[in-house]
Amino acid sequence: MTEIDAVLVLDARAELGEGPVWDERGGALYFVDIMRGRVNRFDPADGSRRVYDIGVAVGALAPTDAGDFVLATADGFARLDPIAGAVRPIAKVEADRPGNRMNDGKCDPAGRFWAGTMALDEHAGAGALYRLDPDGAVHTMLRDVTISNGLDWSGDARTMYYIDSGRRSVDAFDFDAASGSIANRRTLVRVAERDGVPDGMTLDADGCLWVALWGGGAVHRYGPDGALEAIVRLPVQHVTCCAFGGCELRDLYITTAAIKLSDRERAEQPHAGGVFLARPGVRGRPANRFNG
Ligand code: CA
């Protein structure tokens, strides 16, 4: 078992840091602080940070071919202009369910944006997984989801990996890139209770999965067969998501959270909510962009 260290690169003080994505064009890491409704832009070259106030909770974002970003917000999909900081709603999701919000999301290899929902009180089965197509249509892809979380696609675009944290598993689907359909759900990894709860994830260029473990203080690397191959250890308990970035996509950026820590735990984990960096010796893949 390979053990890898992570170092703090941005003392972001996020409550619920999440959804890191590397924007190659600007050489910057974007991530969200969900319940504060903030998108952060971090430039590791000079250490600068810009904060965008979205005005509502924001679960995830992805770059677009047009140069802006698509967002999964509390009540639907929106676009963020990173120059002006302006936010423009584009589609409502679950407008009839004010107790739900959107959570993690990512673009598929054909440029559709997938993002799911969860109940604010996390009750079982209240969420769903949605697909926003480039033409603006929203499709419901899965129902009976508890906490819709990490997702990514294999390099050959034939498999979609997905985490519903309520199931404590990483699942795989057959994926059809032409139609955007998913089928044949099966469990790839079942995470033991002592290791935490699977949250966000990313795939590397070798087709292995890097899974952030909420409550587990770690990121696990699993092979495409589901075997545990490496562990990144962090000095904070709530590890939320990860994404490759930097030069040649060799830097694994990891977001974390302080929310739900007691006062004592916050004192013991002063960098909870920070962004950490590991260099595991493998490369990531460029983020897929929204094609609309
Ligand atoms: Ca998450």
Side-chain angles (χ1 to χ4, degrees), residues 135-152:
D135 66 3
V138 178
H139 301 272
T140 304
M141 303 307 294
L142 284 176
R143 297 182 194 277
D144 194 27
V145 172
T146 298
I147 302 178
S148 190
N149 249 319
L151 65 175
D152 208 348

Side-chain angles (χ1 to χ4, degrees), residues 256-271:
T256 67
I259 199 168
K260 295 188 179 177
L261 293 179
S262 67
D263 288 347
R264 184 179 157 189
E265 287 167 334
R266 283 176 187 250
E268 289 166 352
Q269 302 171 44
H271 296 137

